[in-house]
Amino acid sequence: MALGVSKKEKIDDLAETAGVSLAASAWKRLKRSPVFIIGAVIIGIFIVVSLLSPWLAPHDPSDKMLIDQVVKARNEIPPAQPGHPLGGDLQGRDFFSRLLVGSQQTLIVGVGATLIGLTGGLILGTLAGAIGGWVDSMVMRLVDVMLSLPSLLLAFSIAAMFARPSQFTVILAVAIVQIPVFARLLRGSMLAQRHSDHVLAATALGVKKGAIVFRHMLPNSLSPVIVQSTLVLATAIIEAAALSFLGLGNPDDRIPEWGQMLGDVQNVFDTHPHLAAWPAVCIIIVALGFTLMGETLREALDPKNRR
Amino acid sequence: MALLEVRDLTVVFQRRGEEPFRAVDGVSFDVEPGQTVGLVGESGCGKSVTSLAIMGLLPKRGATVTGTVTYDGTDLLKLSDKQMRDKRGSELGMVFQDPLSSLNPVIPIGIQVTEVLERHRGLARKEAMIEAKNLLDKVGIPDPNRRLKEYPHQLSGGMRQRALIAIALACRPKLLIADEPTTALDVTIQAQILSLMKELVQDLGTALVMITHDLGVVAGLCDEVNVLYGGKVVEKANRHPLFAEPRHPYTHGLLSSIPRLDAAPGEKLTPIKGSVADNIPWAQGCAFAPRCPNALDVCVQVTPAEEDQLGRLLRCHNPVVPGTPAAEEVPV
């Protein structure tokens, strides 16, 4: 009887924390975290603004309504004036409206790239983690190669391969760069699941391989991937802005985009720094919001922090 | 013919750059239909590996399984992966040690019970849910409709183990292997789970292989007991003679180390000295010799053979003389 003592103690430890589910206890801790709330408020405002921007914007962002001022003053940039709180841009379009509507592109690119990257990463990670063996080795070598290149450089190269840059090529380039990050993360937690007790128990019940992977291993492996998604949203937005800044983004400048707005004003940066400062600040704040959320989410979902 | 005939089962673990490890070394035993057989021994004696080998759950790489495991006339070790998957859960059930980690934390209990019913009995989800409710009822989980919707962490330890038993018995297997089913539970719950298992195997006529280090469990449940040490059966006997007259010094030591209610106050328990540790324990001499109070010179030189002594099998050069004070049966 004495032989069972150590095992029993281990179980008692588990039982103490077992009363509340991981998600519920994580949410409880998140609600109390001021950092998470700041991040959530930033992202909440960002999402609301970008969804409502067509109605919030005082003017059509592609309407060159102040072009007269630009021509008259010999390429002078229209300053702030009644009805145009931030003035106009190089082509006489209302800068404030462009900034508001630009959030939409940022949201689409960020979410789109993250979703595509997540999907790709889930497929590769599941293949590697569930099948193992040579499939695992192949996938992981591919992942290693991709991770060995600087992510921004890789994104530039992919975006530059397309003959005609568009919003979609930006999304794709940024997404492909994120795939190995997700794949490696998922594969790691799938491997841990493969040797877990409940997977062994399911195997002992004759559950088929597919059901074991998709019902027992995958759902239990997702929490690090969910955390990573919020962090990837931040990097995806920054990388997409960087691509647009370098002219690898959507060439159609009727639809404003923050990175592109930054790139357009490179030549007048010393005389009109506000044209660069506004989109830059927006990008930084949104990226910061996602990072704050992601970091606090990671801490909240870490079983070691459970109280 | 016995329902399960295990003959000369040997499991060798081989890791690159390491000595091969003989976890199970020529274990043989029979399980008759409806019979309860105990495999007893301390950690590392090979009892869990034996059960995993029978179920075909050992990793293909690194573990070599030899011998035969004949279930109902077919050698399980020769079946393909797919044939074995069809047998597991439907004809061979298994209950594991830790009920919390053996349940999937992200799926409600109900789905985990219906999963096996859908898989092996081809029931639709709705029929399976009704059956699942009956099963939970049968294993004594109160308010089964509510429990079916709950997650494993919302159940108590005892209820989780009841749920696992319900899952294992869902398809009415002819053979149930229980690997330390009560180790993770506290004493009162242990007793409840054991009497539940006893009741269920009697009702359903299921044969039970009970793997445990706890002689109390054996005393309350098993018809026949195999005592394992270092991967070999050292003593095999029916329950009553084993408890009344343990012959192998290891069995004797195990029984003497049980705390007893009728012991004099302040009396110390008699532990078995040392611990199990060797790669090939039976290569030369008796594996138990270094810890054995009865060890002779011959014990460290010659590996004892299995001998039939009046209806019990014994692997010992110098067995305990009948009548040496030992523990009595421990009632459950």
Side-chain angles (χ1 to χ4, degrees):
Chain A
M1 275 183 195
L3 297 168
V5 168
S6 63
K7 283 174 192 160
K8 228 184 135 190
E9 276 171 359
K10 193 181 85 189
I11 306 309
D12 286 346
D13 276 359
L14 280 174
E16 274 181 18
T17 50
V20 193
S21 81
L22 190 58
S25 82
W27 176 239
K28 217 168 142 189
R29 223 152 337 115
L30 284 178
K31 275 194 302 191
R32 279 186 309 210
S33 156
V35 178
F36 177 79
I37 291 172
I38 293 172
V41 167
I42 293 174
I43 299 311
I45 293 174
F46 167 62
I47 290 173
V48 170
V49 166
S50 56
L51 292 180
L52 298 181
S53 58
W55 296 279
L56 286 177
H59 305 286
D60 180 350
S62 58
D63 185 357
K64 301 176 180 174
M65 51 192 2
L66 300 172
I67 193 74
D68 292 350
Q69 290 182 31
V70 178
V71 175
K72 231 182 266 168
R74 264 184 244 143
N75 285 341
E76 190 43 72
I77 290 156
Q81 50 198 275
H84 304 281
L86 297 179
D89 72 352
L90 292 165
Q91 299 185 46
R93 296 172 293 202
D94 180 49
F95 197 65
F96 182 62
S97 301
R98 286 184 73 74
L99 209 54
L100 281 181
V101 177
S103 65
Q104 221 169 28
Q105 294 306 302
T106 306
L107 183 69
I108 292 171
V109 172
V111 172
T114 306
L115 282 183
I116 295 176
L118 183 65
T119 313
L122 282 179
I123 293 170
L124 286 184
T126 308
L127 276 178
I131 299 175
W134 66 269
V135 178
D136 185 21
S137 305
M138 290 256 297
V139 171
M140 282 305 115
R141 290 305 79 75
L142 184 72
V143 163
D144 286 345
V145 169
M146 288 178 77
L147 285 176
S148 68
L149 299 167
S151 65
L152 210 50
L153 196 64
L154 187 58
F156 291 159
S157 323
I158 296 167
M161 286 193 323
F162 295 102
R164 239 184 272 156
S166 69
Q167 187 187 37
F168 182 67
T169 61
V170 173
I171 293 179
L172 209 60
V174 175
I176 290 174
V177 173
Q178 306 302 341
I179 288 176
V181 179
F182 286 119
R184 191 159 72 167
L185 207 59
L186 183 67
R187 179 233 180 207
S189 55
M190 289 277 278
L191 281 188
Q193 285 298 316
R194 197 151 78 175
H195 300 292
S196 73
D197 285 355
H198 69 88
V199 168
L200 181 70
T203 315
L205 288 170
V207 176
K208 288 182 179 163
K209 273 183 189 161
I212 289 200
V213 171
F214 291 107
R215 194 178 289 168
H216 296 275
M217 285 165 68
L218 194 57
N220 281 293
S221 314
L222 284 180
S223 76
V225 178
I226 293 168
V227 170
Q228 187 66 31
S229 316
T230 47
L231 296 173
V232 160
L233 275 166
T235 42
I237 285 169
I238 292 173
E239 281 177 6
L243 287 180
S244 303
F245 176 81
L246 291 175
L248 292 165
N250 190 356
D252 181 359
D253 73 348
R254 279 174 307 180
I255 306 161
E257 201 274 335
W258 290 344
Q260 183 196 51
M261 287 164 75
L262 262 178
D264 286 348
V265 298
Q266 282 176 79
N267 297 331
V268 295
F269 179 66
D270 45 354
T271 50
H272 298 85
H274 77 276
L275 290 181
W278 281 108
V281 167
C282 289
I283 292 170
I284 290 169
I285 289 179
V286 170
L288 179 73
F290 279 120
T291 309
L292 294 180
M293 276 177 72
E295 288 292 345
T296 42
L297 197 62
R298 167 154 62 200
E299 275 170 36
L301 284 173
D302 186 349
K304 279 177 232 147
N305 291 336
R306 294 182 76 187
R307 262 162 290 167
Chain B
M1 195 184 65
L3 178 68
L4 181 75
E5 283 181 12
V6 178
R7 286 288 170 276
D8 224 9
L9 183 70
T10 302
V11 180
V12 181
F13 289 112
Q14 176 73 62
R15 279 183 134 178
R16 215 179 304 162
E18 280 179 39
E19 290 280 295
F21 176 72
R22 231 168 233 274
V24 178
D25 192 354
V27 166
S28 302
F29 62 93
D30 286 355
V31 184
E32 304 290 337
Q35 192 191 23
T36 298
V37 171
L39 297 182
V40 188
E42 65 196 275
S43 309
C45 73
K47 53 194 195 301
S48 290
V49 176
T50 305
S51 68
L52 292 176
I54 295 171
M55 293 290 288
L57 292 174
L58 288 170
K60 292 256 151 25
R61 279 193 305 181
T64 319
V65 183
T66 50
T68 58
V69 177
T70 316
Y71 166 82
D72 224 4
T74 44
D75 186 354
L76 296 182
L77 299 182
K78 292 205 171 68
L79 291 184
S80 71
D81 278 3
K82 194 187 167 301
Q83 288 168 317
M84 201 58 207
R85 265 205 298 281
D86 289 339
K87 284 237 186 298
R88 283 188 213 126
S90 62
E91 294 189 52
L92 309 165
M94 188 154 181
V95 176
F96 289 91
Q97 174 178 340
D98 181 349
L100 178 59
S101 64
S102 301
L103 288 164
N104 186 340
V106 301
I107 300 181
I109 300 292
I111 306 293
Q112 305 195 42
V113 184
T114 53
E115 180 173 47
V116 63
L117 292 168
E118 289 169 30
R119 162 75 174 90
H120 293 295
R121 280 169 54 180
L123 297 184
R125 177 60 60 85
K126 264 191 183 164
E127 301 167 299
M129 268 295 174
I130 296 166
E131 179 69 22
K133 184 194 157 274
N134 293 338
L135 279 164
L136 291 200
D137 224 12
K138 198 171 199 162
V139 296
I141 294 182
D143 201 357
N145 278 327
R146 192 182 108 215
R147 296 300 177 190
L148 283 174
K149 294 189 195 86
E150 287 189 338
Y151 290 85
H153 67 84
Q154 291 170 294
L155 270 61
S156 70
M159 260 197 272
R160 282 182 213 129
Q161 193 61 292
R162 283 170 194 269
L164 276 177
I165 292 172
I167 294 171
L169 293 177
C171 296
R172 312 208 163 200
K174 287 186 210 155
L175 178 72
L176 180 66
I177 300 177
D179 186 358
E180 307 241 13
T182 56
T183 306
L185 307 170
D186 65 46
V187 183
T188 46
I189 308 295
Q190 276 187 14
Q192 289 173 14
I193 293 291
L194 285 178
S195 61
L196 172 73
M197 292 189 77
K198 197 172 176 178
E199 208 181 291
L200 287 173
V201 295
Q202 268 167 13
D203 280 3
L204 302 172
T206 310
L208 176 64
V209 176
M210 179 60 99
I211 292 165
T212 182
H213 62 259
D214 187 339
L215 286 163
V217 171
V218 173
L221 212 59
C222 299
D223 304 314
E224 192 191 70
V225 185
N226 294 275
V227 181
L228 267 77
Y229 190 83
K232 272 192 193 299
V233 177
V234 293
E235 185 164 12
K236 180 205 295 280
N238 286 337
R239 166 171 51 142
H240 292 290
L242 186 88
F243 278 90
E245 252 176 30
R247 297 293 312 280
H248 197 282
Y250 179 58
T251 320
H252 188 264
L254 282 180
L255 287 169
S256 323
S257 63
I258 295 176
R260 293 161 52 90
L261 278 178
D262 57 353
E267 189 184 311
K268 284 185 179 159
L269 294 173
T270 325
I272 303 175
K273 289 190 185 72
S275 62
V276 214
D278 207 346
N279 274 350
I280 310 173
W282 296 89
Q284 196 196 10
C286 172
F288 188 59
R291 302 170 68 188
C292 182
N294 289 15
L296 308 170
D297 285 347
V298 66
C299 292
V300 289
Q301 286 152 7
V302 184
T303 308
E306 203 173 57
E307 287 169 44
D308 196 334
Q309 297 204 345
L310 301 168
R312 84 165 75 190
L313 289 177
L314 197 58
R315 192 185 289 278
C316 185
H317 290 303
N318 186 20
V320 177
V321 184
T324 308
E328 286 161 20
E329 279 186 40
V330 184
V332 172

